[in-house]
Amino acid sequence: MKPTCTLFFLLCCFTVSQAQTTSLGMQVKPRMEYRDGYLTLPPSGAEAGFHTNDRIRLQFAYTSPKVEVVVQPQYVYVWGQNTFNAASEANFSMYQGYAQMNFMGKAIDSTHRLDKFGLRLGRQELNYDGGRFLSNLDWAPQGIRHDAALFILEDNGWTLHAGAGFNQEAPRVFGTTFNGNLYKSFQMVWLHKQHQKFSGSILMFKDDFQRFQIDTAGNSIADGVNSRITAGTMLEFKLTDNLSIGGEFYMQRGKDNGGNTLETSLVNLHVTGVLANGKVNITPGFDIASGSDGLNLEDTVNRFFNPTYGINHKFYGFMDYFYVASPFGNAGLQDFYVRSTFKLNSKWNTWLHLHYFASANNINSAENPGTAADPYLGTEIDWIVNHQFADNVQIQFGACYMAASSTMQQIKNVGPNGGNSGVFTYLQFMFTPKFF
């Protein structure tokens, strides 16, 4: 208790002395989940699962014209994960913790031409263009963050971010070998233009993975890096007050983390219509993410597009069958969807999403090897209800259903006797009080 009380006392002192430029908030986000075919189809005889995960995140911020600081420690756990009398727990982490120096801009000098030019250092979100490739993955309790240095330039509707990160597991006296389960280093540039009837972005992201070789003695020796380059664009056009069209295109080149040559792509096109005086939004569209040909065993090129750091839960169905934690082969994905939003009143709205999934390339049939399996994978329906209980309390209920094909059973490795459908429901509460 003593360290906790001391920390609270120091925070109070800091608050008093810096009250005009500091803020303190909190996010408490428990979510109860019923899983009977979430992530993957249920194997024969499997029972449904139920649990509650929770995230408690403090949000400290300090802002001045020349300096900005954000600190967000968090505690992520499943109810019952730790015994009620545990002396210590390993569920604490630092989600964000960065400081930003603003070198110039209108906040420093109102006559300056630039809106802002600064440098952000530390652990931070990289969340761009709706999260297709780089996101904060807010659906997952732990989220996604990066240790990085990021230059930020803003001027007259233009935003430029240029950054890099270099990871090590611990301080070293010699060498920079990295055995972690993510990239060793990255470099990125993001350029965005925001206009009244148009917005567009260009993203280039290179991640480098430690490469190892086996020497004559059988030892694993670090030998450079395998570098992957992801480049793409996002465009949105507002044609009228009630109609807009948009799309995305990404490609990946270089080497994957196993050293295989990469030639991948992703295409998205969608149209959004606004009806009933803004109370109804309907968005039909499609994604085509490339994959490898399961019948061409001589092709050594990796053609499987991988949105590694994206919020795939948002794009490819709330059941999370694709690009999340459960493999689905490497034949790629076609997703033809209709997303709709219905605003009932100021406190209630509901979403209804329909997905038709198919493979983007050939899958070698398990029943008839050497021939292509049926590309149809399944149809998913997601129904979500949102309620604004109070200014700082949101409640969300979700009910999701997957009707799967025999090809889905094959790529999810449940066999013909496994389930051919899945159900996922959840009830989520999000409390976001602001103390000052």
Side-chain angles (χ1 to χ4, degrees), residues 70-147:
V70 170
V71 179
Q72 292 182 323
Q74 66 180 12
Y75 178 73
V76 175
Y77 70 109
V78 174
W79 287 9
Q81 179 179 357
N82 300 291
T83 60
F84 66 89
N85 61 347
S88 62
E89 300 178 9
N91 305 84
F92 288 95
S93 65
M94 183 62 68
Y95 177 64
Q96 288 199 106
Y98 66 80
Q100 179 172 320
M101 299 179 292
N102 296 322
F103 304 118
M104 57 187 69
K106 289 185 169 57
I108 300 173
D109 179 359
S110 60
T111 64
H112 202 280
R113 187 179 66 84
L114 293 177
D115 292 337
K116 178 183 288 188
F117 176 54
L119 173 63
R120 181 179 297 173
L121 299 166
R123 180 162 296 181
Q124 57 192 282
E125 295 179 347
L126 298 177
N127 190 21
Y128 299 107
D129 301 331
R132 175 74 69 174
F133 182 74
L134 289 172
S135 76
N136 60 8
L137 192 58
D138 194 54
W139 167 258
Q142 72 279 4
I144 290 181
R145 66 278 193 193
H146 305 258
D147 298 330

Side-chain angles (χ1 to χ4, degrees), residues 211-229:
R211 182 173 63 233
F212 293 91
Q213 299 288 346
I214 305 298
D215 66 10
T216 55
N219 300 312
S220 180
I221 305 298
D223 181 29
V225 296
N226 293 315
S227 297
R228 177 182 65 172
I229 299 175

Side-chain angles (χ1 to χ4, degrees), residues 57-78:
R57 180 182 291 172
L58 293 177
Q59 303 182 82
F60 306 97
Y62 167 81
T63 303
S64 70
K66 288 190 174 183
V67 177
E68 300 175 33
V69 177
V70 170
V71 179
Q72 292 182 323
Q74 66 180 12
Y75 178 73
V76 175
Y77 70 109
V78 174

Side-chain angles (χ1 to χ4, degrees), residues 6-27:
T6 302
L7 176 61
F8 181 77
F9 174 77
L10 291 175
L11 287 173
C12 290
C13 294
F14 179 79
T15 299
V16 171
S17 62
Q18 302 290 338
Q20 71 275 15
T21 55
T22 60
S23 64
L24 173 62
M26 174 181 282
Q27 182 191 80

Side-chain angles (χ1 to χ4, degrees), residues 286-335:
F286 68 84
D287 291 345
I288 300 178
S290 68
S292 297
D293 187 347
L295 299 181
N296 186 358
L297 301 181
E298 297 180 357
D299 187 4
T300 60
V301 175
N302 183 353
R303 305 185 187 279
F304 178 76
F305 184 87
N306 192 347
T308 311
Y309 317 107
I311 183 165
N312 302 305
H313 174 87
K314 169 185 174 180
F315 294 104
Y316 306 112
F318 284 20
M319 297 286 286
D320 287 342
Y321 271 48
F322 307 101
Y323 305 107
V324 184
S326 175
F328 67 101
N330 62 352
L333 183 67
Q334 298 181 79
D335 176 15

Side-chain angles (χ1 to χ4, degrees), residues 22 132 162 186 201-202 222 238 249 307 372 377:
T22 60
R132 175 74 69 174
F186 83 87
S201 299
I202 297 174
K238 186 175 182 181
F249 174 75
L377 299 178

Side-chain angles (χ1 to χ4, degrees), residues 114-430:
L114 293 177
D115 292 337
K116 178 183 288 188
F117 176 54
L119 173 63
R120 181 179 297 173
L121 299 166
R123 180 162 296 181
Q124 57 192 282
E125 295 179 347
L126 298 177
N127 190 21
Y128 299 107
D129 301 331
R132 175 74 69 174
F133 182 74
L134 289 172
S135 76
N136 60 8
L137 192 58
D138 194 54
W139 167 258
Q142 72 279 4
I144 290 181
R145 66 278 193 193
H146 305 258
D147 298 330
L150 187 70
F151 283 99
I152 299 172
L153 176 64
E154 299 175 2
D155 184 50
N156 194 30
W158 290 91
T159 303
L160 175 66
H161 287 187
F166 188 87
N167 292 329
Q168 292 286 277
E169 298 155 277
R172 290 180 178 271
V173 178
F174 301 107
T176 60
T177 299
F178 183 67
N179 295 299
N181 62 352
L182 72 164
Y183 55 76
K184 179 177 182 177
S185 59
F186 83 87
Q187 306 85 47
M188 64 153 288
V189 176
W190 177 71
L191 178 65
H192 177 76
K193 172 62 176 177
Q194 185 67 45
H195 190 267
Q196 184 177 1
K197 294 189 176 182
F198 163 80
S199 65
S201 299
I202 297 174
L203 172 68
M204 294 188 68
F205 187 93
K206 182 169 80 74
D207 40 4
D208 309 307
F209 303 93
Q210 185 73 68
R211 182 173 63 233
F212 293 91
Q213 299 288 346
I214 305 298
D215 66 10
T216 55
N219 300 312
S220 180
I221 305 298
D223 181 29
V225 296
N226 293 315
S227 297
R228 177 182 65 172
I229 299 175
T230 302
T233 184
M234 183 278 295
L235 301 171
E236 294 283 344
F237 299 91
K238 186 175 182 181
L239 304 179
T240 69
D241 289 341
N242 298 317
L243 183 65
S244 62
I245 185 171
E248 297 175 76
F249 174 75
Y250 290 89
M251 58 188 296
Q252 292 176 329
R253 295 293 186 268
K255 302 285 186 179
D256 63 20
N257 56 1
N260 302 300
T261 298
L262 278 169
E263 292 184 12
T264 80
S265 63
L266 178 141
V267 177
N268 166 267
L269 183 65
H270 59 268
V271 178
T272 299
V274 181
L275 308 172
N277 296 320
K279 294 183 178 180
V280 179
N281 284 26
I282 299 178
T283 303
F286 68 84
D287 291 345
I288 300 178
S290 68
S292 297
D293 187 347
L295 299 181
N296 186 358
L297 301 181
E298 297 180 357
D299 187 4
T300 60
V301 175
N302 183 353
R303 305 185 187 279
F304 178 76
F305 184 87
N306 192 347
T308 311
Y309 317 107
I311 183 165
N312 302 305
H313 174 87
K314 169 185 174 180
F315 294 104
Y316 306 112
F318 284 20
M319 297 286 286
D320 287 342
Y321 271 48
F322 307 101
Y323 305 107
V324 184
S326 175
F328 67 101
N330 62 352
L333 183 67
Q334 298 181 79
D335 176 15
F336 299 89
Y337 60 84
V338 178
R339 299 190 183 105
S340 54
T341 301
F342 304 88
K343 183 178 180 181
L344 307 178
N345 54 45
S346 61
K347 295 184 178 295
W348 291 89
N349 70 76
T350 184
W351 309 338
L352 186 63
H353 297 176
L354 175 65
H355 295 267
Y356 175 97
F357 296 114
S359 64
N361 212 330
N362 292 320
I363 296 173
N364 194 358
S365 173
E367 294 183 355
N368 301 292
T371 64
D374 184 351
Y376 171 65
L377 299 178
T379 300
E380 180 176 335
I381 300 175
D382 301 329
W383 177 50
I384 312 298
V385 178
N386 299 288
H387 175 52
Q388 190 75 39
F389 178 79
D391 290 343
N392 53 11
V393 181
Q394 296 176 341
I395 304 173
Q396 185 178 87
F397 169 79
C400 311
Y401 176 77
M402 170 68 79
S405 70
S406 59
T407 305
M408 181 80 87
Q409 290 177 312
Q410 175 183 327
I411 64 175
K412 289 295 183 178
N413 295 315
V414 299
N417 296 323
N420 60 4
S421 63
V423 174
F424 172 54
T425 62
Y426 68 90
L427 180 62
Q428 175 178 279
F429 301 84
M430 186 165 67

